[in-house]
Amino acid sequence: MTELLQGLVQASAWLAVAVLLLAALQPLLRRLGGVALVYRSWWLVPLVLLAPLLPVPTLPLSDSAPVQALGAALRAPVLPSSAMLWPVLLAALWGAGAILVAGAQWRGQQRFERGLGALQPRSDGSWQASADPGLPALVGLWEPRVVVGPDFDARFSAAERDLILQHEHQHRCHGDHWANAALALLRCVFWFHPLLPWAARRFLCDQELACDARTVDPHPALRRLYANALLKAQWVHPVAPMACHWRSQPMLKERIAMLKEHKRKALPWMLGQVLVAGLCAGLGMVAWASQGDTGVSASLPADADAQARHIAPPQYPKSAYDQRISGKVVLRVNVDASGRPDDIKVISATPAGVFDEVSVAAARQWTFDPARKDGKPVATALQIPMTFELEASEPAP
């Protein structure tokens, strides 16, 4: 449970960094490359969330002396069972919130799709619904379809219909429906994050602006006609989480203002692409390197292994003590060049989940004499077995 919570905290911190950075850079990116470049910059978010999951070079692993916690003789203090419950409660709260958000989004999507009624194919490649819960829109994930309302032909002229269909086909060609599905997943995982609601609204707004730009840039003379089509379609409708809607009344003013912008020159556009690529690569590399020491010395064997300076035994869990449970945990403890443990992982635990928490908590308090390479302190890793016994005995060799 602790590893899950630590992963969520780390990912939440990187999500906040990415969102704040994008918010600060949006005006500059828009001047350099327009709304399409701003929308492309949102690739930064999944990159910084996935980068810490990539493997890093491992530190050289050395064996250490075993540690023993004695329950029956009470030589190690007994940890109250309530102190072990908070990670489980927090994980349960997060899981319940994720399920609730997922259920709400699923109901919204199902309500929208049921509201379409019967669908009939059209000669232009789109589908016509018998009802209008918020159309036109690109609907579906695996086989997305452009769906228009029953009054599509009556409300829009032929030229306007062509522009609207081009807009929705742009959504499909650029995979915007998959991007919306990824956003729905983020809303489930990070439902507690205070910056995510703003980021989701801004992302969907940038998505529509970029799609508008891709549609009208090849036909600059049709900008006024495109704006008229936007004005005709703006009615308040609930939107589906994974549908790309033509209607977007809250951002209508911004969409029409974007149509007045001129196409960017080649040099600033290229600078914008380089800036976004460098931003994504740089912050992704920082997020990846944040997992631990990835220096060259990490892959080299040390001349002298790290030695324990102070290792206090872990507290014996009260629930395990009351139930007369014994066990063993093997830890991997990364020791930095100053002798502090900076990353602790459970390699194995018997029985699983009983002694993991107290073992990691104890290891965070330990101190070491760092390993040495060519006379200089370097980072390394120790494999430390910990035995939890109910009767005093000598540690296993």
Side-chain angles (χ1 to χ4, degrees):
M1 292 298 180
T2 300
E3 290 188 1
L4 171 64
L5 296 176
Q6 288 176 344
L8 282 173
V9 170
Q10 183 186 32
S12 299
W14 282 114
L15 177 60
V17 170
V19 169
L20 293 174
L21 189 58
L22 289 175
L25 290 178
Q26 275 205 350
L28 174 62
L29 294 175
R30 187 157 182 170
R31 285 196 298 269
L32 289 175
V35 291
L37 182 65
V38 173
Y39 180 53
R40 198 172 297 121
S41 68
W42 284 100
W43 273 105
L44 180 66
V45 172
L47 284 177
V48 298
L49 293 178
L50 295 176
L53 302 179
L54 298 177
V56 296
T58 58
L59 294 167
L61 186 63
S62 304
D63 292 329
S64 177
V67 178
Q68 191 170 37
L70 303 176
L74 296 181
R75 297 182 185 178
V78 177
L79 182 68
S81 56
S82 60
M84 300 179 62
L85 290 179
W86 69 266
V88 178
L89 294 177
L90 287 178
L93 177 62
W94 169 79
I99 292 173
L100 288 175
V101 173
Q105 293 188 104
W106 177 258
R107 286 194 302 271
Q109 185 72 24
Q110 292 299 304
R111 183 170 55 247
F112 172 77
E113 294 186 5
R114 286 194 301 267
L116 297 175
L119 299 181
Q120 298 295 331
R122 291 166 51 93
S123 59
D124 55 17
S126 64
W127 293 73
Q128 189 155 23
S130 57
D132 186 357
L135 299 173
L138 180 68
V139 182
L141 189 61
W142 301 105
E143 296 181 358
R145 296 182 288 187
V146 177
V147 182
V148 300
D151 59 347
F152 184 62
D153 294 326
R155 177 178 297 182
F156 302 100
S157 66
E160 290 170 342
R161 292 197 299 269
D162 182 61
L163 286 174
I164 292 173
L165 294 177
Q166 286 185 44
H167 175 97
E168 297 301 332
H169 284 300
Q170 287 288 341
H171 276 308
R172 182 167 56 190
C173 291
H174 287 80
D176 290 342
H177 53 299
W178 286 105
N180 291 350
L183 176 60
L185 178 61
L186 286 180
R187 281 173 163 158
C188 296
V189 176
F190 298 101
W191 58 267
F192 56 89
H193 203 290
L195 294 180
L196 188 58
W198 177 88
R201 289 193 299 270
R202 189 64 251 174
F203 170 79
L204 294 175
C205 180
D206 291 338
Q207 182 185 92
E208 287 303 318
L209 292 174
C211 195
D212 288 339
R214 290 193 298 262
T215 303
V216 300
D217 279 351
H219 315 287
L222 300 180
R223 291 175 183 269
R224 180 178 295 275
L225 183 66
Y226 194 87
N228 289 337
L230 283 173
L231 290 171
K232 286 183 180 181
Q234 298 311 309
W235 300 95
V236 177
H237 282 279
V239 296
M242 290 182 287
C244 300
H245 293 267
W246 166 262
R247 298 176 179 178
S248 50
Q249 191 175 21
M251 54 174 292
L252 175 62
K253 184 178 179 180
E254 189 174 359
R255 291 180 72 178
I256 293 179
M258 187 278 301
L259 296 176
K260 300 178 182 179
E261 296 181 3
H262 299 290
K263 197 171 182 180
R264 299 295 188 259
K265 296 180 181 179
L267 183 58
W269 182 89
M270 182 58 68
L271 289 177
Q273 311 307 310
V274 173
L275 177 60
V276 168
L279 177 67
C280 293
L283 194 59
M285 182 65 70
V286 173
W288 173 73
S290 68
Q291 300 176 78
D293 190 353
T294 59
V296 176
S297 61
S299 62
L300 299 176
D303 295 336
D305 293 333
Q307 300 294 325
R309 182 187 304 166
H310 172 69
I311 292 185
Q315 296 176 310
Y316 211 101
K318 186 176 187 304
S319 58
Y321 179 76
D322 292 341
Q323 298 177 51
R324 315 298 294 173
I325 298 177
S326 301
K328 183 176 181 179
V329 175
V330 179
L331 295 180
R332 177 190 174 93
V333 180
N334 288 0
V335 181
D336 63 18
S338 63
R340 294 191 301 267
D342 64 353
D343 187 31
I344 304 166
K345 296 189 184 315
V346 176
I347 298 177
S348 63
T350 305
V354 176
F355 301 104
D356 303 39
E357 306 288 346
V358 294
S359 301
V360 173
R364 290 197 183 101
Q365 310 303 318
W366 297 344
T367 57
F368 300 85
D369 293 322
R372 293 190 172 272
K373 176 68 177 177
D374 297 330
K376 297 180 180 180
V378 295
T380 189
L382 293 176
Q383 178 174 288
I384 303 179
M386 306 179 70
T387 302
F388 293 79
E389 294 183 347
L390 292 171
E391 295 182 358
S393 62
E394 293 297 324

